[in-house]
Amino acid sequence: MKSMRASRVALNTAGLLVFLFAVFPVFWMVMTAFKTTEDIHSPTPLPVPTDPTLEHFRKVISGQGLEFGIWHFFLNSAIVGLVTVVVAALVALAAAYAVAR
């Protein structure tokens, strides 16, 4: 009974550590998105922004500092996704025909 409980605690602890290891970069990215430029370039980075801002989101959406607007990049992604789906469907259709024969 005790050994099963100990192994369950060990497995849960290992799972929690793996989860934290996997989620930390996402947490850091989201927190950095809300930091001011000064906080981002600070020599002592803080995990949570001291003065949260939406400045970077406004810049991206308005296209400031970019050669093209953000919608241009969305269009590129949509085109690549559509072409990929069409090509994959054609290859799958040919493969299905070959398997059926």
Side-chain angles (χ1 to χ4, degrees), residues 1-14:
M1 223 33 192
K2 272 190 170 183
S3 66
M4 280 190 67
R5 183 174 172 92
S7 66
R8 181 180 288 172
V9 168
L11 282 174
N12 285 337
T13 303

Side-chain angles (χ1 to χ4, degrees), residues 10-88:
L11 282 174
N12 285 337
T13 303
L16 181 64
L17 289 174
V18 168
F19 171 77
L20 291 175
F21 185 75
V23 169
F24 180 74
V26 176
F27 166 77
W28 194 266
M29 177 182 63
V30 170
M31 290 297 107
T32 301
F34 292 102
K35 291 180 183 179
T36 62
T37 304
E38 293 79 26
D39 284 345
I40 292 172
H41 298 295
S42 171
T44 55
L46 297 173
V48 179
T50 56
D51 186 26
T53 180
L54 295 174
E55 166 192 2
H56 303 293
F57 292 97
R58 271 181 265 159
K59 283 184 178 179
V60 167
I61 291 173
S62 69
Q64 290 178 331
L66 298 173
E67 186 176 342
F68 303 104
I70 189 72
W71 306 114
H72 180 79
F73 298 115
F74 280 130
L75 179 63
N76 284 347
S77 295
I79 290 170
V80 168
L82 183 64
V83 169
T84 302
V85 166
V86 169
V87 169

